Amino acid sequence: TVAATCPAPINLRDSAVTLTTAILNWNTVAGATDYQVEYKKDTATSWTIAITNTTTLSHTLTGLSHTTLYNWRVKSNCTAVGLVSNYSNVDSFTTVAATCPAPTNLRDSAVTLSTAILNWNASAGASDYQVEYKKDTATAWTVAITNTTTLSHTLTGLTQNTLYNWR
């Protein structure tokens, strides 16, 4: 007679990878009643069980770290023949990088001998802003305001007839 077998899943693929999630898919295994999925950060030494005894051919990982390489694998459980497969070949994906674009359309107005009003357009996803400025000839920046939620700030105490940079 032929020995009973329980093959490992094949054709592992990931999709819809975001900052903190990824959808994992694999092909069905003849005779498998359920599957176990494990994953880990590429640099980790131990695996984390994502789901066990799942009968679907897909699983969504959540709570991942952005801009991180992950490895994952699956094994089959073939209870009809009383076997569990070895793990599949390892597949990998990298989560998306977090971005926060810089504000745009920087403009100043109402410039006087010692003050200037600074304005900028909102940045998608920004919760607050930090404004820095310096004399054109200086190398170090000075923080004018931090954690502001407005799109405007008035600089005071400026030196007359002096060129300033701001960001």
Side-chain angles (χ1 to χ4, degrees), residues 1-70:
T1 62
V2 176
T5 63
C6 187
I10 60 169
N11 197 20
L12 276 63
R13 57 209 177 275
D14 48 78
S15 61
V17 178
T18 70
L19 288 167
T20 60
T21 64
I23 298 174
L24 312 177
N25 298 283
W26 57 93
N27 285 6
T28 189
V29 171
T33 54
D34 57 69
Y35 305 91
Q36 178 173 306
V37 178
E38 293 185 347
Y39 74 102
K40 70 180 188 79
K41 288 183 179 180
D42 185 60
T43 56
T45 56
S46 60
W47 292 86
T48 299
I49 296 173
I51 191 166
T52 189
N53 301 326
T54 183
T55 57
T56 66
L57 300 175
S58 177
H59 179 69
T60 301
L61 291 177
T62 60
L64 305 174
S65 301
H66 66 82
T67 323
T68 303
L69 177 61
Y70 284 91

Side-chain angles (χ1 to χ4, degrees), residues 105-111 116-120 153 155 164 166:
N105 196 20
L106 276 61
R107 57 207 180 277
D108 47 74
S109 61
V111 178
I117 298 174
L118 311 177
N119 297 285
W120 57 92
H153 179 70
L155 289 178
Y164 284 90
W166 69 280

Side-chain angles (χ1 to χ4, degrees), residues 127-147:
S127 58
D128 55 67
Y129 303 92
Q130 176 172 305
V131 177
E132 297 180 338
Y133 73 101
K134 70 179 185 79
K135 289 183 180 179
D136 185 58
T137 56
T139 56
W141 292 86
T142 299
V143 175
I145 190 168
T146 189
N147 299 325

Side-chain angles (χ1 to χ4, degrees), residues 4-6 31 33 77-84:
T5 63
C6 187
T33 54
N77 183 9
C78 304
T79 34
V81 292
L83 296 174
V84 175

